[in-house]
Every structure is written in structure tokens, then in C-alpha cells.
Amino acid sequence: MTDEGEDSIYLQSFGRRLSALRVQRGLSLEQLARASGLGEGEVRRVERGQRDLSVIALADIAKALDIQPADLMP
């Protein structure tokens, strides 16, 4: 079990990783959101470390980025 501080640090690290991978692939937030079936605001909040993802949403984002879900882990 982690505390809130550790959760926040992990979410921020995950968000930075997601953002870096998105930019590496030349995708805008809107393009990634559309390709993954998520809302643009939702993707933005994940990248900022303000929201976590369900396993299904994680898989959808990985598929949109053409990577394995584990590749998103910081």
C-alpha cells in the first residue's frame, strides 16, 4: 500500500512518460485521444499526473502508440 504522496509522484512520472512517448511519435493530445478512444481532457490530466487510468484505458493508449502497455511504465 502506498501513501498519497507516493501515488502522486508515481502518477506524475507516468504522465511524463506518456507525454514523452506521444511526442516521440509525433502525436498531438487530440490525435492520441482520438486514436485511443479517450477524451482529450482525460489524456491531458493523465499527462499532468492528475488522473490515473483503468487497465482498459492503459491498453487503449498503448495500442494507439503502437507499444506494449508495460512500455508506459516509468
Side-chain angles (χ1 to χ4, degrees), residues 1-73:
M1 178 80 60
T2 60
D3 65 33
E4 268 187 50
E6 288 175 346
D7 289 350
S8 178
I9 291 168
Y10 188 80
L11 288 174
Q12 290 172 8
S13 180
F14 179 86
R16 284 190 300 270
R17 174 85 175 137
L18 173 58
S19 179
L21 288 167
R22 176 181 58 76
V23 170
Q24 272 181 357
R25 282 156 178 75
L27 295 173
S28 68
L29 273 168
E30 180 182 2
Q31 290 169 319
L32 178 58
R34 193 175 325 117
S36 65
L38 301 173
E40 186 177 342
E42 184 174 12
V43 174
R44 182 178 290 109
R45 286 187 300 278
V46 171
E47 286 191 358
R48 290 180 180 166
Q50 298 170 337
R51 186 185 187 299
D52 62 352
L53 291 171
S54 70
V55 173
I56 300 302
L58 178 77
D60 291 341
I61 285 178
K63 185 176 180 180
L65 292 170
D66 195 29
I67 60 174
Q68 294 297 311
D71 296 332
L72 285 164
M73 296 302 120

